[in-house]
Amino acid sequence: MKDGRAHEIEVRRDPLGHGDAALQVASFTGYRLFVGKDSFTAFTGQIDFAGMVVAMEPLPLDPGTYQGTYKLVGGELSLDFVNTVSWPGTGREHDWFDRPENVTLWAAEVHLIDDVVRHDFEESMSREVARWARELQALRDIRGALRDAISPLAHEGFPDRQSIDRVNRLLDRAGRRRSIDPTSLEWSWPAPANLTEMIDPVVWNAGDVLTRIDRSRLRYCPSCDWLFHDTTRNRSRRWCDMRDCGSRDKALRYYHRRKPSAATSQSSPNE
């Protein structure tokens, strides 16, 4: 698998000349991974001409009894990996990686693995339950290590030394599997034999997030605490998804604005 990342926005302002404001929305891609000569969109959505994300489509992960959806909103592979825990640290917390099948589906959707590897993994899951339980726990440990390092930056803080040391150890292991393809002269990864190897490109991307992107553009959703890379021109992205958390927050603010005025309009019992 080739390794690559790009932020691409394809914008056509009213290409048919209709002057319709409804047309002032374009499709976009957040990041892409490259497998061979083909590039694959890791997520799709819509963006308005102010650069604000206005729509995201959920991935078909099995929610179990959880009432919610998972979306690739991070704009960076490692952020979307960290975001596989919804509402972290709250009573509503849900781990989307509570079952191996969701992990392989997620990995296939972001093109970490192809259909052949996914089939082999899922076939093995039914035969080697104990092994995959260990694999899943190792994956969660890696996810926790990446969150501990990246999340403080999104919250305008700084990770502690221990968190960075853990990421450095992960990068050291992942880097041993990364090599330059002699034909394309691009970074490539061999097919993974387990979930830890599968997630190596995610670990590498986390290193890029920590060292290369503008840290002031690392944000967290004030509603659900998912992390995202704000690539809007005016740094105006506030929520993970306008359609979900954005709408919810706006409705709550409207409710709280209306509540005091409704109370003051009623007669006091002492009057």
Side-chain angles (χ1 to χ4, degrees):
M1 188 189 80
K2 299 296 190 302
D3 173 41
R5 53 190 285 272
H7 294 277
E8 301 182 1
I9 298 176
E10 298 177 358
V11 175
R12 293 184 176 87
R13 182 182 292 274
D14 193 7
L16 300 180
H18 295 309
D20 187 346
L23 295 175
Q24 307 302 302
V25 174
S27 59
F28 79 103
T29 66
Y31 59 77
R32 288 183 175 178
L33 292 178
F34 295 82
V35 182
K37 295 181 180 180
D38 300 319
S39 67
F40 296 90
T41 302
F43 70 83
T44 60
Q46 289 185 319
I47 192 166
D48 64 18
F49 279 89
M52 179 62 69
V53 176
V54 295
M56 298 279 185
E57 295 304 320
L59 262 64
L61 301 182
D62 184 355
T65 59
Y66 176 69
Q67 299 296 315
T69 59
Y70 171 82
K71 299 180 180 182
L72 294 162
V73 301
E76 298 287 344
L77 189 55
S78 55
L79 301 184
D80 284 322
F81 177 57
V82 167
N83 290 344
T84 54
V85 176
S86 290
W87 301 92
T90 72
R92 299 177 62 182
E93 180 174 300
H94 174 70
D95 186 354
W96 288 97
F97 286 175
D98 59 352
R99 60 202 72 197
E101 295 82 2
N102 272 357
V103 176
T104 52
L105 192 157
W106 179 87
E109 288 286 340
V110 299
H111 301 284
L112 286 175
I113 56 175
D114 59 22
D115 290 340
V116 174
V117 173
R118 181 183 177 186
H119 176 268
D120 290 345
F121 278 7
E122 293 181 350
E123 190 177 61
S124 174
M125 288 171 187
S126 60
R127 301 193 314 267
E128 304 175 83
V129 177
R131 173 206 163 187
W132 285 98
R134 293 192 299 271
E135 294 262 353
L136 199 55
Q137 186 55 54
L139 192 72
R140 292 193 188 108
D141 291 344
I142 294 172
R143 182 182 60 189
L146 299 189
R147 181 173 184 87
D148 288 346
I150 297 173
S151 183
L153 295 174
H155 290 80
E156 299 182 348
F158 202 83
D160 58 36
R161 175 66 179 270
Q162 184 179 7
S163 297
I164 298 303
D165 286 345
R166 291 175 68 192
V167 172
N168 277 331
R169 289 193 292 272
L170 292 171
L171 287 168
D172 179 62
R173 179 189 52 75
R176 297 173 196 170
R177 298 185 60 252
R178 194 175 188 235
S179 61
I180 298 175
D181 186 286
T183 303
S184 65
L185 299 182
E186 294 178 354
W187 288 110
S188 64
W189 302 88
N194 52 55
L195 296 186
T196 301
E197 291 185 355
M198 181 193 76
I199 220 69
D200 281 343
V202 178
V203 171
W204 206 261
N205 174 258
D208 282 345
V209 168
L210 288 167
T211 61
R212 292 188 180 182
I213 73 172
D214 183 349
R215 294 172 189 164
S216 67
R217 287 185 174 273
L218 272 178
R219 304 288 177 82
Y220 72 96
C221 178
S223 179
C224 70
D225 206 30
W226 270 358
L227 309 181
F228 59 88
H229 181 195
D230 181 5
T231 57
T232 57
R233 286 175 296 180
N234 58 356
R235 302 169 184 257
S236 59
R237 184 176 172 189
R238 182 173 180 181
W239 297 282
C240 62
D241 187 2
M242 272 291 296
R243 190 168 52 188
D244 290 334
C245 286
S247 296
R248 185 185 303 111
D249 277 7
K250 287 181 177 180
L252 282 173
R253 287 201 305 273
Y254 176 79
Y255 169 77
H256 287 300
R257 282 198 308 268
R258 296 280 297 173
K259 190 175 180 181
S261 60
T264 55
S265 66
Q266 296 176 355
S267 298
S268 167
N270 294 323
E271 291 179 354

